[in-house]
Structures are given as structure tokens and as C-alpha cells.
Amino acid sequence: MNALLPLIEVKNLKVTFHGRTGPVLAVDDLSFQVSPGETLAIVGESGCGKSATAMSLLRLIQPPIGRSEGGSILFGGKDLLQLEYEEMRAVRGREIAMIFQEPMSSLNPVLTIGRQLTETVRVHADASQETSRLRAIELLHLVGLPDPESQLRKYPYELSGGMRQRVMIAMALINKPSLLIADEPTTALDVTIQAQVLDLLSKLQEETGTSILLITHDLGVVAEIAKRVIVMYAGRKVEEATTIELFDNPQHPYTRGLMAAGPRLGSAMADVKKARLREISGTVPIMNGELVGCPFAERCENVLDQCRLAFPQDTQVTETHCVACFNPNGAT
Amino acid sequence: MMDGSDSMLLEVNDLQMHYPVRSRSWFAKPDYVRAVDGVSFSIAKGETLGLIGESGCGKSSVGRSLLRLITPTAGKVRLEDVNILDLSKREMRDRRREMQIIFQDPFSSLDPRLTAEQIVSEPLVNFKVAKGRELSRRIEELFDQVGLQKQHLKRFPHEFSGGQRQRLGIARAMALNPRFVVCDEAVSALDVSVQAQIINLLMDLQEQLGLSYLFISHDLAVVEHISDRVAVMYLGKIVEIADCHSILQNPQHPYTQALVSAVPRRHPSQKKEKIILKGDLPSATNPPKGCRFHTRCPMAMERCSTVEPIIKRFSDDHAVACHLID
């Protein structure tokens, strides 16, 4: 994979939420690592545990809502799950930063952009008012906001969605974090604005060398900027590969289903009535801990008897490609 | 744009929807958000017209004014021979049997205190279409048509998944055998595997019932899959309208070109030249003079900032509003 040591290594992570009718398993036995400077995407549909994974890296899932029940998250020689509260605070924003889907709800509506940016600078570095203001201007310039000085005086509602997301990215980059977690960063944006923001993220990565953990439901966004991908389904990692391998040679029936289900741009032929899309029948199971076996079994075309008895181990396809499936090729 | 042959079901002429906004002083002239500013198109029987554009371009306002859920400021909407904007409220109520809408978020458009059965029976009861045994038979038929089971009848909306809720919304829209259905971002809130189920369902229903759709969406790939023709909107105007194939393979308006190029690639090794537009959508209260797109257009000329282009036929079924076409 990479001769360098991983920047962050997640081992056997398990996250549960406390539901009204008992614990709900959001992430189950998840292991992966992110190398320095790489972009890893976690892709999956609603409820697959991708956001829960992202949030538990920053220990944002706390009782009574839920907790990380086991495993470890090794980052810079420390296990983040074992850190004291104050130690964890020092990691957040400084070494690992995060941007969210809806920048309007992540920004404070009653403070100006300038106030929020300079405050963040001053919390992390003992800077004067003037130096932190200059740093804020520099950052807004970096993320491509026109006329940064006048933007500082604006309130979040005065900015458009794309501009707000740029402000969030600027704020996340203040301390030059080594890992940036982007949770559906472009989902709320229009396609032309999405193209701007994805372009910005790849440029910033080239300039700053930060690693990006991208959480998304959109395989198109993965194809745009990720080097490697993890596909999650119902809390489990079902496939991991380089982006090229995953698109060239998807192994898991769920990954194949996802790729076939999306309408393909440019498939319209003149005067030909369109074919039906390939759907994945059924819905995602409820993960209350009663399910044994592969969670995709009920919707899977290649299902075997053993799929309902145990979750399959990872099988290596190539050195950089592994899949958790008993029957990827559809033998009966 | 199109000739008014007999096969046309719906014809929209110069539709305008201006929302008043509070002005700064009592004495100032009132301001208007020109959400829809002179839109014309037509939809044939059994045809799907895709309406695409980014947030705030006015596409939902178009959909809603066609059903008079909001009252347009000006224009004509003819369903066959009747201009529905001239109808009285009571006449309009009757007409709505033929025109229905499916919304984006089925959770906020379904009454949380009614069961699935009540939700679907409401239109049938209101219009006195069916009652008693006939009513239950029709509901079961509708449930079957949209892929819901009998055991779902007594459930409340919160007990359904997103895809099932959207099926319920579709069953309600289909209850009165409409001829024209507006799908307003009907699949945008759904996961891709479920989205495929709903798109297939909408296409199956169209074939069985001979429906016409106005399919409003921001997702070009989805619109391409389901539509026969596509109209592209920008700031309250249609900038390009053509059959699906031409819009994607041969887009003429710079905005359409940018929109098509901005769709993420399907494969990481696919080379795609992106046209990255500068800036954001200008305000619809005070749209730019001349061509509304000239502030962001990579090919803007001097004329674009002064003279507004009118929409002109480019080829047979392809019309564009851009000075570059002249």
C-alpha cells in the first residue's frame, strides 16, 4: 500500500447508539488506515455507519447518545479512545479537523464570519487581535472567497451555501491539521458549486499535504477526488480498494448493485426508449444486534446458506483490494 | 416553440411568478422576486419533460403554479383547451383530479396522524369517486400498483422507510387517475438503490396509464434517464430546451455546458474537462441586465450585458436563448 506509516489506524471499531428499544449497532468491527497525504473515501447509503465512524474518530459520540464500545483508534502513537477529555480537546481542530454537510447549522448565526474565524485562531494560538485577523484574511483568500476583508464583516446568512462551505473549510484549516474529515461536504450544494468545492479540496490537499477522510453517498464524488475507497453497508466494511480497482472490478454484490443503480449520464440514445434501472430490492435491515451473518444477505442475488450464519472474513483480491463476501462471483 | 398539434396535453405560455418582498420603506416601490419570468413550454400526451436547474432558479415555482398551488402573476397554462388560470376556485378543484403532484420529502407531505389507507383514500372520498367495498378495492389496487403490501394499510407514515413513503405519496397522486403529474424532486431525498426503484416505478406507471410528467430535478443523470425532452432554467428563464440526447451530447448554452461538465465522472480514469463557473447565482430580486447568465458566463460578450437574448430555434427540437447562436 504505502511504505509510510499510517497517519491514523482504526482497529475493530464498534459504535452503538442507545435507541428507544435498546442499543443499535451503527459500526461493527471496522478497521482501516489513512496514510499521510492520501484521500480515503467511505461510501455507503443512509444509516450504513459512515458518519458514525467519522464522528467517533473525534470522539463526538458520547453517552447518553451512544458510545464507542471497543477497538482502538491509533493516531500519532496515542489511542484516541483512551485519551482524557482535555487531551482529546487538544487533538480536535488542531490535528484532526472536520467539516460537515450543512455549513449553515455549523456556523454561529449571530456572529460575523470574522469573529468566528479570529476566535478559532486565538483559541489555538496565542495570537493578537491583529495577527489573527490577518491570518483569517489569508485563509479566506486561500479558499478562494472574493474580497476577504469585506467578507469578515458578514454574517453567515449573507453568504451563499458554497461560500459558507468555503468558510467552514477555511476554519478547519486554521491549524494545518494532518487529517481533515469531510462529512458529505458537497451534498447540500448545487452541481456547479460542488465542482468548485471539490476542485478547492484537491488543490488545498496538494498545497498543504493534509490527509482527507471523505464521507459520502455519491460514487461520482469518490471518482472525482479519492485515491482509495471503503464501501460500508449496515455498519460493516464490505469492500476496500483503490478507487480505480473498485470501479474497474467491483467484487461485492452490494458495490456492483450501487454502481448499476445510478442512472448513467450520457446513456440516452436518440429515439430509444430507456431501459429500467437495476434496482436493489428491499431495504437496509435494522441493526439491533439480533442479526447474524451478512447484513446484505436478504437483498443479495448471490446469497448462499452460509451467508445467514456468519459474517464473511475479508478476502484479498489483490494487495490493495479486499472484499467481505462468501460468494462474490455468484456460484450456486 | 412547439406547434400546437392535437397531441399536446399542456401548454404553458409566458408564465410569470413574482413574489412580493417587503420593501425598505412604506413609500418605496415594492420589490419582487422574479422567480419565474416568462417561461413557455409544452408537454405532449405520455411525454416526460425534465426541468433542470440549480436551487433558486424557479423550477419548483413553475411546478406549483401549473397546479395553481400558488397563483402565477401572469401567463397562460392550457390543459387541452382550458386555460386553468381563468378557472374559478371550484372549477379548479375539479380540474385537480387530472393534475397531481409528488413532492420531494414524503415525510412532510403526508399527514403523520393518518394511516396509509386513510392517506390514499382521502382524494377518492373527497371527489366521491368510491366508497365502501369499492373504495377498499381501489386502495388495494393502488397499493399493489406502487409495490406496497396489504399489511401496510394500517401503518402510519413514520413506520415506513423513505422509499416506501415515496411509494405512498405516489399512490395518493395516482388515486384519481390523473393525466398530468408534476414530480418535484421526487427522488432527490432517496438513497441511490431506492431511487432506482422509484424511478422504475414512475416509468412503469407512465407506460400503464399514459401519464405525462413534468419531472423537476437538479440531478442531470436522473433527468436524462426519465425524460424525453429537457428544459434548463437559470434565474427564472428557460435558457435551453431540447430532446434529451441533444441537451447532453450537444449543449449550446454556456450554462448547460457548465452544468453537464460539472456532473461528477462515472469512472476515476475518465478524463473530463470541467467548466468551473465563477461565483454564485445572482439575486432574483435584481437580476442582471441583458442576459442573466452574463455575470458568470465564460464566453460573455459586450452585447450580453445589455441585450437580453430571446429563445430561438437552433435545430428541429432544440431552442436556445444565447447571443452566441446568432
Side-chain angles (χ1 to χ4, degrees):
Chain A
M1 212 166 290
N2 202 322
L4 295 164
L5 280 173
L7 175 72
I8 189 164
E9 190 171 5
V10 176
K11 280 186 189 160
N12 310 102
L13 181 70
K14 187 173 176 183
V15 180
T16 55
F17 285 111
H18 300 295
R20 220 180 308 169
T21 49
V24 178
L25 199 53
V27 179
D28 195 5
D29 197 20
L30 178 70
S31 304
F32 67 90
Q33 48 194 29
V34 185
S35 307
E38 96 168 330
T39 301
L40 173 70
I42 299 184
V43 67
E45 300 182 288
S46 336
C48 74
K50 54 192 193 302
S51 288
T53 305
M55 290 175 72
S56 57
L57 294 193
L58 281 175
R59 292 237 320 255
L60 295 175
I61 298 173
Q62 302 276 2
I65 296 161
R67 62 198 177 103
S68 311
E69 292 221 11
S72 57
I73 301 173
L74 297 174
F75 180 80
K78 295 166 287 188
D79 181 358
L80 296 185
L81 294 178
Q82 306 302 329
L83 291 187
E84 295 296 321
Y85 182 76
E86 282 304 318
E87 292 173 309
M88 191 62 218
R89 268 197 60 159
V91 173
R92 287 189 197 127
R94 185 160 302 172
E95 292 168 61
I96 305 179
M98 186 158 176
I99 52 178
F100 299 90
Q101 173 174 350
E102 207 346 286
M104 190 60 198
S105 46
S106 328
L107 291 167
N108 188 335
V110 297
L111 299 180
T112 60
I113 300 301
R115 171 86 189 273
Q116 295 184 58
L117 272 171
T118 50
E119 195 174 81
T120 318
V121 175
R122 295 177 74 187
V123 165
H124 288 284
D126 193 17
S128 72
Q129 186 80 46
E130 186 51 27
T131 33
S132 53
R133 203 180 80 90
L134 290 176
R135 175 90 178 118
I137 292 173
E138 183 192 324
L139 282 161
L140 288 182
H141 188 72
L142 186 71
V143 296
L145 271 192
D147 195 10
E149 277 176 68
S150 71
Q151 305 291 357
L152 288 180
R153 287 190 296 272
K154 286 189 176 161
Y155 289 90
Y157 79 90
E158 295 178 276
L159 303 179
S160 69
M163 289 162 89
R164 275 182 223 136
Q165 197 57 286
R166 284 168 193 267
V167 171
M168 283 304 296
I169 294 171
M171 202 176 278
L173 292 177
I174 282 175
N175 293 292
K176 305 192 173 81
S178 45
L179 177 64
L180 177 67
I181 303 174
D183 190 355
E184 302 271 10
T186 59
T187 307
L189 306 176
D190 284 314
V191 274
T192 59
I193 310 294
Q194 164 169 294
Q196 290 175 356
V197 171
L198 290 180
D199 189 50
L200 171 69
L201 282 175
S202 354
K203 272 194 193 133
L204 288 175
Q205 183 172 37
E206 266 168 44
E207 281 167 30
T208 60
T210 167
S211 303
I212 297 180
L213 179 64
L214 176 79
I215 311 290
T216 182
H217 70 283
D218 188 343
L219 280 168
V221 173
V222 172
E224 285 292 326
I225 66 169
K227 299 283 177 302
R228 288 197 307 125
V229 201
I230 288 173
V231 182
M232 281 185 81
Y233 184 79
R236 291 278 193 167
K237 177 171 85 180
V238 295
E239 190 160 3
E240 176 173 359
T242 63
T243 311
I244 302 267
E245 279 176 314
L246 190 87
F247 280 81
D248 276 346
N249 186 20
Q251 288 292 311
H252 200 280
Y254 176 64
T255 316
R256 291 187 186 147
L258 266 190
M259 288 188 177
R264 201 173 277 266
L265 193 71
S267 61
M269 301 304 223
D271 306 324
V272 178
K273 193 67 194 165
K274 282 137 201 168
R276 292 168 61 88
L277 290 170
R278 245 190 69 189
E279 46 189 77
I280 305 175
S281 60
T283 45
V284 183
I286 298 158
M287 301 303 291
N288 51 9
E290 285 166 20
L291 192 95
V292 283
C294 175
F296 191 60
E298 288 309 315
R299 303 175 76 186
C300 185
E301 293 174 341
N302 300 352
V303 63
L304 301 174
D305 288 343
Q306 54 180 328
C307 299
R308 300 184 206 276
L309 300 175
F311 188 80
Q313 292 290 313
D314 279 355
T315 318
Q316 294 296 136
V317 181
T318 69
E319 205 181 319
T320 50
H321 189 170
C322 66
V323 59
C325 181
F326 287 122
N327 188 18
N329 297 316
T332 44
Chain B
M1 238 169 302
M2 308 282 314
D3 30 43
S5 58
D6 294 339
S7 62
M8 284 305 152
L9 178 74
L10 188 90
E11 276 189 77
V12 179
N13 252 315
D14 200 24
L15 186 73
Q16 295 181 19
M17 182 67 228
H18 296 173
Y19 298 99
V21 287
R22 207 192 302 176
S23 42
R24 284 165 197 274
S25 127
W26 282 4
F27 306 106
K29 264 209 318 210
D31 276 341
Y32 291 95
V33 173
R34 297 160 182 274
V36 183
D37 211 9
V39 160
S40 307
F41 57 85
S42 55
I43 301 177
K45 283 177 188 144
E47 186 190 42
T48 303
L49 176 70
L51 185 59
I52 193 154
E54 299 181 284
S55 351
C57 73
K59 56 191 191 301
S60 287
S61 292
V62 169
R64 276 157 210 228
S65 27
L66 296 189
L67 271 68
R68 269 179 64 183
L69 298 178
I70 49 179
T71 311
T73 318
K76 280 200 183 110
V77 179
R78 300 176 78 88
L79 184 72
E80 300 210 298
D81 286 331
V82 188
N83 180 2
I84 63 153
L85 301 186
D86 289 341
L87 298 178
S88 70
K89 267 199 177 144
R90 174 166 302 179
E91 287 168 327
M92 186 59 219
R93 213 183 99 99
D94 265 351
R95 278 278 150 182
R96 285 224 179 87
R97 290 174 64 159
E98 298 175 15
M99 312 173 83
Q100 291 287 325
I101 185 164
I102 302 164
F103 296 99
Q104 168 170 7
D105 176 7
F107 201 55
S108 51
S109 57
L110 300 173
D111 189 329
R113 290 171 302 179
L114 297 184
T115 62
E117 186 179 15
Q118 288 170 320
I119 287 169
V120 179
S121 66
E122 204 170 45
L124 295 164
V125 173
N126 278 350
F127 283 99
K128 302 195 173 65
V129 175
K131 58 181 178 186
R133 198 165 297 160
E134 172 61 18
L135 180 67
S136 0
R137 197 197 53 76
R138 175 77 180 127
I139 290 170
E140 274 173 37
E141 183 184 79
L142 282 164
F143 266 53
D144 190 49
Q145 252 176 351
V146 300
L148 290 172
Q149 268 95 53
K150 239 176 159 179
Q151 76 244 28
H152 294 136
L153 283 169
K154 302 288 176 206
R155 292 200 192 155
F156 289 94
H158 75 262
E159 294 173 273
F160 290 100
S161 68
Q164 286 173 323
R165 260 182 243 145
Q166 199 56 293
R167 286 176 194 272
L168 196 56
I170 294 172
R172 180 180 60 177
M174 299 299 166
L176 293 165
N177 283 322
R179 292 197 287 168
F180 172 64
V181 178
V182 175
C183 306
D184 190 355
E185 301 273 11
V187 299
S188 307
L190 306 173
D191 277 320
V192 53
S193 69
V194 180
Q195 182 178 311
Q197 296 172 6
I198 301 296
I199 292 174
N200 285 342
L201 172 64
L202 287 171
M203 291 173 77
D204 290 347
L205 288 171
Q206 177 168 43
E207 213 175 287
Q208 290 161 19
L209 308 171
L211 295 168
S212 301
Y213 288 134
L214 176 68
F215 194 87
I216 301 171
S217 176
H218 68 281
D219 187 336
L220 205 51
V222 171
V223 165
E224 181 201 5
H225 188 84
I226 202 167
S227 312
D228 301 301
R229 285 188 303 132
V230 179
V232 181
M233 265 186 96
Y234 187 80
L235 266 189
K237 296 249 182 207
I238 290 182
V239 295
E240 185 161 4
I241 182 165
D243 65 277
C244 216
H245 186 71
S246 318
I247 280 277
L248 284 144
Q249 302 305 325
N250 190 19
Q252 291 299 315
H253 198 284
Y255 178 64
T256 317
Q257 289 167 358
L259 214 54
V260 172
S261 84
V263 175
R265 61 193 103 187
R266 289 291 303 201
H267 192 284
S269 52
Q270 180 190 351
K271 290 241 160 36
K272 211 172 165 186
E273 277 304 312
K274 288 241 155 90
I275 305 169
I276 303 231
L277 291 179
K278 291 199 190 75
D280 291 297
L281 199 71
S283 147
T285 320
N286 191 12
K289 291 227 163 47
C291 173
R292 297 184 172 200
F293 186 57
H294 85 264
T295 51
R296 299 171 74 195
C297 183
M299 284 174 261
M301 308 172 289
E302 215 179 291
R303 182 147 67 112
C304 301
S305 54
T306 48
V307 186
E308 183 163 355
I310 40 172
I311 190 154
K312 278 191 210 124
R313 188 175 289 223
F314 168 72
S315 67
D316 250 0
D317 192 13
H318 193 160
V320 191
C322 179
H323 289 311
L324 289 168
I325 304 303
D326 294 345

